[in-house]
Amino acid sequence: MVGYLLRRWAQMGVTFVAFLGLVFLLIQAQPGDYTQVYTLDPNIPPESRRAIAAAFGLDRPVWQQFFVYLGNFFRGDLGVSFEHYPRSVMSVIMERLPRTLILFLTATVIAFYLGFVLGKLIAWRRGRAVEYVFTISGVYLYTVFTPWFALVLMWLFAIKLDWLPVGKFITPELWVRSSVDSNYVFVRLLVTAAAGSALFLALAVLLSRLRVPRAGLVLAGAGAASCGLAVLGWGLSGYGPLALDIAEHIALPILVLTLISFAGTMLLTRNSMLETMREDYVFAARARGLPDNMVRDRYVARNALLPVVTSFVFSLAFAIDGGVITETIFSWPGMGLTLLNAAVVEDIPLAVGAFVFTGVFVLVAHLVADVLYAFLDPRIRYR
Amino acid sequence: MTGEAVGLPLRASRWQVRARLLWRSWRESWALFSHNRVGLLGLGIIALFGLMALAHPVLIRTVWDPLIYDPVVGYSFDEVLQPAPPSARHLLGTDPLGRDILSQLMHSARAEFALGLMAALVTVLVGTAIGAVSAYYGGLIDALLMRMADIIVMMPTVSLLIVLGVLFDLNMYSLAIVIGIISGFGGTAIIIKSQALSLKVKPYIEAARVAGGSHRHIILVHIVPNLLPLAFLYMMFTVTAAIFSEAVLSFFGILNIRMSWGIMIHTAQNAGYLLGGTRYWWLLMPAGVSITLLCGSFYLVGRALDEVVNPRLRRR
């Protein structure tokens, strides 16, 4: 298994350098370079322009520029943002990243859970009305024109019903007086979520190893307990109102993201279930007279989970990407909005930097998916 | 495949046999497809939009005065206030610039079909070529092409298109080609290659090789035709992706095109009608619903075709 993973990782490394090369090629393929901005200004003499080009390293041959670019990238230097001058691209990305992560991690987890449960249901009830209803509504929600759909929901919940705020990610009036900035709270929310899920996963593994009777109930209790613990911790920390403010702003984007993405998991689970349902051991389990629910949950759904888990890891990676639309509509200042804004004002270092950073995320997700897959499916390990 | 194998008299020419075989497989596939009510629903909606697209030029020639009803430069002189609500003259009202919404909707349907089909064709061409070549030759060519496919799969599509839209001037055609290449060289090529691998070891390929067929002949005559059903399936998903991407990029105002469903919403946004809700419903609803319906329908048809092409998903 170690050999397999090492081989995969080496391949991934090469792939990633090629990805960087392709991005570099894209930048090179556009007419002109950064110094062109100054050609319109008659007050800048040619020698100054040459000096600027030299400062950017643009006077060197292209292949040298590429290696400089590669070296800078691996040292975490993505250049300086034009729009936020003199801040570096990396610092802008680091500021925006936690906001995107918390929004999309939450939405992805909810969407996958919902999709898996519904997919299980519609595969089991194939050909009944419930399948048609969920498939059709799921597919149209999946391919819905996201900006429009988000606007409709925003109008409904934020304006008509007035339950939730319209867009933005915090209420500035609340934060002016507080001693911490929003990222302080965002990072801690992320840590809480990570710790909570780790606790929950550890309990789940422990319970399945110990073969505790009525594990489902115990697990639900554990989930509720870790959630309760988190809420209690935040209540005591004194930043509770701030966290609540964020929660209020995040609810609507999460609702939109869940609704537009659960169908992908649902349909994948359905197909995977349908393929598993033809296996002999399912037939055998039925022949033994096991209850329908048990065959569905323990025999079919467990084995159908494999492709779903992989797709889950990938969608975590693409969370940063899919964010462009939702973040723009809800004015959620995360990675997606940063990318789009940078693109619109032609802040090319920031746009390309955000894009490459997304690539890093996808790469890491590929690696995680490989490890998970090799861990979950023994058939892969012994190839 | 000879005439005897399908029970035809040997006199029948090769083309007759082929046509008959094609007709038979088409009928069988249709029988499988038509069982899928969800797929039929999608097909019906696509047909409806197709009719809309076809009707627009006819209407402009006959009933609609181009001065008023032109989707881009028309202006409704009869209305005092723009955007005007739906009336007998303008069934879906007018937009903030005084143009007829129904006319824009129907005009854009044609553009969306053209975009989707072009992207899909590029996908099939690129995907089949890469998949077949990669599987047939194997070795270094395979490794190179598949690693490149990995890179393209790795690219976040929406972000990539936005970055491309900024670096270059994208119009409808270049967008179709870019989307076609992204989806054809990426996921589609990988899936088609795995299918081609299973074809490559079939006895008839060996027979063709023993009979002295050149590589080009084997790939074009024996492998590619058997890959086309699968490629056709992925065409459907490409159409969805293409229409959706166009709408999103137009909505952001990154594309260089004159009229599309995305542009219609962009216009409403620029004029400040985005959160008008039900009051100005005709500005947002028709275009939004159209994009959703057409994308979703192609997706539904694609899924129904999946059950035709992939025997593991069929009902017992």
Side-chain angles (χ1 to χ4, degrees):
Chain A
M1 182 171 165
V2 175
Y4 166 74
L5 286 180
L6 280 180
R7 214 165 48 242
R8 289 292 296 158
W9 287 6
Q11 276 179 1
M12 281 291 167
V14 176
T15 310
F16 187 67
V17 171
F19 170 72
L20 283 180
L22 216 65
V23 172
F24 184 76
L25 215 82
L26 274 182
I27 306 173
Q28 288 292 325
Q30 62 158 336
D33 56 49
Y34 299 151
T35 56
Q36 298 260 314
V37 184
Y38 302 108
T39 48
L40 290 173
D41 190 344
N43 293 328
I44 292 188
E47 52 268 26
S48 303
R49 209 176 300 142
R50 271 199 294 279
I52 295 169
F56 274 114
L58 292 172
D59 53 342
R60 287 190 245 176
V62 175
W63 63 270
Q64 266 187 22
Q65 286 185 36
F66 177 60
F67 280 106
V68 172
Y69 179 76
L70 265 189
N72 282 345
F73 178 82
F74 285 112
R75 267 182 274 122
D77 179 7
L78 291 171
V80 178
S81 159
F82 292 168
E83 189 193 359
H84 303 273
Y85 187 82
R87 291 178 63 189
S88 72
V89 168
M90 206 60 185
S91 81
V92 176
I93 290 179
M94 280 303 146
E95 179 195 76
R96 309 289 165 91
L97 190 62
R99 304 168 187 165
T100 292
L101 282 182
I102 202 151
L103 171 59
F104 285 93
L105 290 184
T106 324
T108 314
V109 170
I110 297 176
F112 261 80
Y113 186 70
L114 189 68
F116 182 65
V117 171
L118 288 179
K120 218 163 69 172
L121 185 77
I122 63 171
W124 209 246
R125 304 262 165 136
R126 189 172 194 190
R128 310 264 184 87
V130 66
E131 190 203 350
Y132 293 124
V133 170
F134 276 117
T135 309
I136 293 176
S137 53
V139 163
Y140 282 117
L141 279 175
Y142 190 57
T143 55
V144 74
F145 185 50
T146 324
W148 170 74
F149 182 64
L151 285 168
V152 168
L153 284 193
M154 197 198 270
W155 172 78
L156 182 69
F157 284 104
I159 295 179
K160 198 80 185 166
L161 298 172
D162 202 17
W163 288 350
L164 298 163
V166 188
K168 296 278 184 272
F169 74 124
I170 48 172
T171 315
E173 294 88 345
L174 203 67
W175 291 73
V176 164
R177 267 167 251 260
S178 75
S179 54
V180 291
D181 61 352
S182 62
N183 265 10
Y184 180 86
V185 178
F186 270 112
V187 169
R188 271 150 194 79
L189 276 175
L190 264 178
V191 171
T192 316
S197 350
L199 188 73
F200 183 72
L201 270 183
L203 267 178
V205 171
L206 198 71
L207 284 179
S208 71
R209 282 284 149 83
L210 293 177
R211 299 184 183 283
V212 179
R214 303 191 65 80
L217 209 66
V218 182
L219 214 58
S226 41
C227 284
L229 221 67
V231 169
L232 191 73
W234 276 95
L236 291 178
S237 71
Y239 299 123
L242 298 181
L244 211 64
D245 182 42
I246 290 176
E248 213 174 41
H249 282 86
I250 211 173
L252 204 47
I254 285 185
L255 180 70
V256 169
L257 283 171
T258 309
L259 284 180
I260 59 172
S261 61
F262 82 92
T265 319
M266 182 178 81
L267 298 173
L268 182 69
T269 312
R270 170 183 174 271
N271 279 7
S272 175
M273 287 274 289
L274 290 183
E275 286 183 9
T276 319
M277 271 155 73
R278 312 193 128 196
E279 301 281 354
D280 289 337
Y281 58 79
V282 177
F283 192 60
R286 280 200 173 140
R288 288 205 327 261
L290 293 177
D292 218 33
N293 280 348
M294 192 186 260
V295 177
R296 186 186 69 195
D297 291 344
R298 300 242 176 115
Y299 287 79
V300 185
R302 273 201 194 168
N303 290 295
L305 197 57
L306 268 177
V308 182
V309 169
T310 334
S311 122
F312 175 66
V313 179
F314 287 144
S315 25
L316 285 186
F318 278 102
I320 306 189
D321 171 50
V324 181
I325 303 160
T326 324
E327 286 186 358
T328 310
I329 302 294
F330 286 102
S331 324
W332 186 269
M335 294 286 289
L337 191 59
T338 306
L339 177 76
L340 185 74
N341 271 347
V344 170
V345 302
E346 308 220 333
D347 181 355
I348 288 165
L350 185 55
V352 172
F355 179 62
V356 169
F357 201 82
T358 316
V360 178
F361 244 78
V362 179
L363 181 85
V364 173
H366 270 265
L367 295 183
V368 173
D370 274 343
V371 176
L372 257 183
Y373 222 88
F375 178 70
L376 289 175
D377 191 351
R379 283 171 296 188
I380 305 261
R381 266 178 260 169
Y382 302 111
R383 258 210 310 221
Chain B
M1 213 72 67
T2 64
E4 281 159 315
V6 283
L8 288 172
L10 271 174
R11 279 180 277 113
S13 80
R14 233 167 112 199
W15 289 110
Q16 274 174 315
V17 175
R18 282 208 180 157
R20 205 170 280 209
L21 275 173
L22 200 71
W23 170 240
R24 182 199 274 183
S25 77
W26 165 251
R27 234 179 24 204
E28 276 171 12
S29 305
W30 173 252
L32 275 171
F33 183 86
S34 60
H35 273 303
N36 194 320
R37 280 185 239 167
V38 178
L40 284 179
L41 173 76
L43 205 61
I45 293 175
I46 293 174
L48 207 68
F49 277 107
L51 279 180
M52 270 174 63
L54 290 178
H56 186 261
V58 178
L59 282 175
I60 281 281
R61 293 265 163 76
T62 54
V63 196
W64 285 350
D65 179 3
L67 222 59
I68 297 173
Y69 287 98
D70 188 279
V72 183
V73 295
Y75 185 83
S76 169
F77 299 101
D78 326 301
E79 308 291 343
V80 183
L81 288 175
Q82 313 286 5
S87 59
R89 240 174 286 123
H90 304 285
L91 288 176
L92 285 174
T94 59
D95 78 349
L97 300 176
R99 303 175 293 189
D100 184 73
I101 297 260
L102 184 63
S103 171
Q104 291 182 338
L105 204 66
M106 292 169 78
H107 175 82
S108 308
R110 190 172 38 163
E112 306 291 345
F113 271 108
L115 168 87
L117 289 183
M118 201 165 140
L121 275 181
V122 175
T123 304
V124 168
L125 275 180
V126 175
T128 329
I130 304 267
V133 165
S134 179
Y136 185 79
Y137 289 106
L140 188 65
I141 296 178
D142 174 40
L144 270 179
L145 287 176
M146 282 302 115
R147 289 296 83 76
M148 269 164 82
D150 276 351
I151 298 176
I152 291 176
V153 168
M154 235 175 81
M155 298 237 187
T157 325
V158 177
S159 309
L160 175 67
L161 287 175
I162 290 176
V163 171
L164 282 178
V166 173
L167 295 182
F168 308 98
D169 189 22
L170 287 184
N171 58 24
M172 213 67 155
Y173 301 108
S174 45
L175 180 74
I177 290 171
V178 167
I179 293 174
I181 290 175
I182 291 177
S183 93
F185 208 148
T188 311
I190 294 175
I191 289 162
I192 287 188
K193 183 213 155 190
S194 62
Q195 174 82 359
L197 273 181
S198 70
L199 288 176
K200 188 187 159 190
V201 294
K202 292 266 167 73
Y204 63 84
I205 302 286
E206 243 166 79
R209 203 173 292 158
V210 170
S214 69
H215 291 316
R216 199 171 62 111
H217 172 83
I218 293 175
I219 291 180
L220 285 182
V221 177
H222 295 290
I223 294 187
V224 168
N226 287 308
L227 292 176
L228 284 182
L230 198 66
F232 189 62
L233 162 67
Y234 282 90
M235 259 173 83
M236 294 297 153
F237 297 129
T238 310
V239 174
T240 300
I243 296 174
F244 186 83
S245 316
E246 185 277 323
V248 169
L249 293 184
S250 300
F251 172 69
F252 289 149
I254 290 175
L255 289 185
N256 178 18
I257 53 179
R258 298 179 74 193
M259 184 44 63
S260 77
W261 292 336
I263 298 267
M264 288 167 73
I265 296 185
H266 181 71
T267 312
Q269 180 200 27
N270 277 357
Y273 291 99
L274 266 198
L275 288 173
T278 45
R279 195 156 159 230
Y280 292 104
W281 62 269
W282 66 92
L283 292 181
L284 289 177
M285 288 287 163
V289 170
S290 296
I291 298 166
T292 308
L293 277 181
L294 194 57
C295 286
S297 303
F298 271 108
Y299 196 84
L300 285 179
V301 170
R303 288 192 53 80
L305 282 178
D306 196 11
E307 297 197 359
V308 175
V309 176
N310 183 355
R312 279 164 68 87
L313 289 177
R314 279 184 207 158
R315 253 167 250 242
R316 253 184 252 245

